[in-house]
Amino acid sequence: MKRLLVIFSAIILFAGCDEKIQPVISEEKYDGKIPIQESWDSEIVFTEAGRLQAILYADHIYVLNEENQREKHLENMKIDFYNKKGVISSVLTSKRGKIDDATSNMWAIDSVVAVSDSGVVLETDELMWRHKDDKIVTEKFVTITSDKEKMEGYGFESDQHLVNYTIFNITYITSVNQK
């Protein structure tokens, strides 16, 4: 009886090995293109001459190779920007984003919020971080709130630490009550 049980178990074990599991690929999500790379719960470290500039965290990253231009597409992203002393100086979050591999420029898209270590809060729909000069820029509508004032307008440029910033077309400004 034991011998029959062992033989039966072996048959079941080996019979199950013939089935191949194929992953499901949703071509809708990627505009009909299949990613050449994907990763989940990832982080990307940005450095310049050995100095830490930023760490990006994303729930999902996928890379599309489009006409010799590679871009990393990001979902649910967070970026910690570091100052020269290696301390976090600002944090940016958004629902989506992308990185151009050729320039290392990064876009944050949809529900973008950036908060500096001094308490300045930036809110907008889309923002670009230019790698060559560490500037944060957008032509979209922005809201900046600090402990002293709240400003709104179109067009924005700042250092990545949100210390020196400019709104180009201010539409609203008010003092914030200090408690």
Side-chain angles (χ1 to χ4, degrees):
M1 186 68 162
K2 286 183 180 180
R3 186 178 250 177
L4 185 59
L5 184 60
V6 170
I7 292 171
F8 183 69
S9 296
I11 290 171
I12 290 175
L13 179 68
F14 289 116
C17 291
D18 288 340
E19 185 179 336
K20 294 181 181 177
I21 299 173
Q22 294 293 326
V24 178
I25 299 173
S26 171
E27 291 186 19
E28 283 178 18
K29 187 173 188 175
Y30 310 110
D31 297 325
K33 299 175 179 122
I34 297 175
I36 59 173
Q37 294 177 354
E38 283 188 279
S39 64
W40 288 265
D41 298 324
S42 303
E43 68 181 58
I44 298 174
V45 178
F46 294 87
T47 61
E48 183 74 35
R51 186 180 66 81
L52 180 62
Q53 288 188 302
I55 299 177
L56 174 130
Y57 304 91
D59 287 352
H60 182 211
I61 300 174
Y62 58 96
V63 179
L64 299 177
N65 193 10
E66 301 175 358
E67 298 177 23
N68 299 325
Q69 180 181 358
R70 287 184 45 165
E71 291 181 340
K72 292 177 180 73
H73 296 265
L74 315 160
E75 295 177 359
N76 296 321
M77 60 182 261
K78 173 188 166 205
I79 307 166
D80 293 335
F81 291 102
Y82 290 81
N83 64 20
K84 292 179 181 179
K85 296 179 181 178
V87 177
I88 295 175
S89 61
S90 57
V91 177
L92 182 141
T93 59
S94 71
K95 290 183 179 178
R96 296 181 297 113
K98 67 181 180 177
I99 301 170
D100 181 328
D101 282 352
T103 62
S104 294
N105 290 341
M106 184 177 354
W107 287 262
I109 304 161
D110 195 1
S111 306
V112 180
V113 178
V115 181
S116 75
D117 58 355
S118 64
V120 174
V121 178
L122 164 68
E123 298 173 89
T124 188
D125 289 330
E126 186 174 314
L127 199 61
M128 181 181 78
W129 175 61
R130 276 192 317 242
H131 180 257
K132 70 178 180 179
D133 59 1
D134 297 334
K135 296 282 186 181
I136 297 172
V137 298
T138 188
E139 295 299 319
K140 304 285 184 177
F141 182 79
V142 297
T143 300
I144 297 280
T145 307
S146 70
D147 60 349
K148 296 178 184 172
E149 62 189 1
K150 178 177 182 177
M151 295 188 297
E152 296 178 348
Y154 292 88
F156 174 82
E157 182 175 282
S158 174
D159 58 41
Q160 69 185 17
H161 311 294
L162 296 175
V163 174
N164 302 304
Y165 55 84
T166 302
I167 296 177
F168 295 109
N169 184 11
I170 295 175
T171 58
Y172 174 80
I173 188 168
T174 187
S175 296
V176 174
N177 294 335
Q178 296 180 359
K179 295 180 181 180

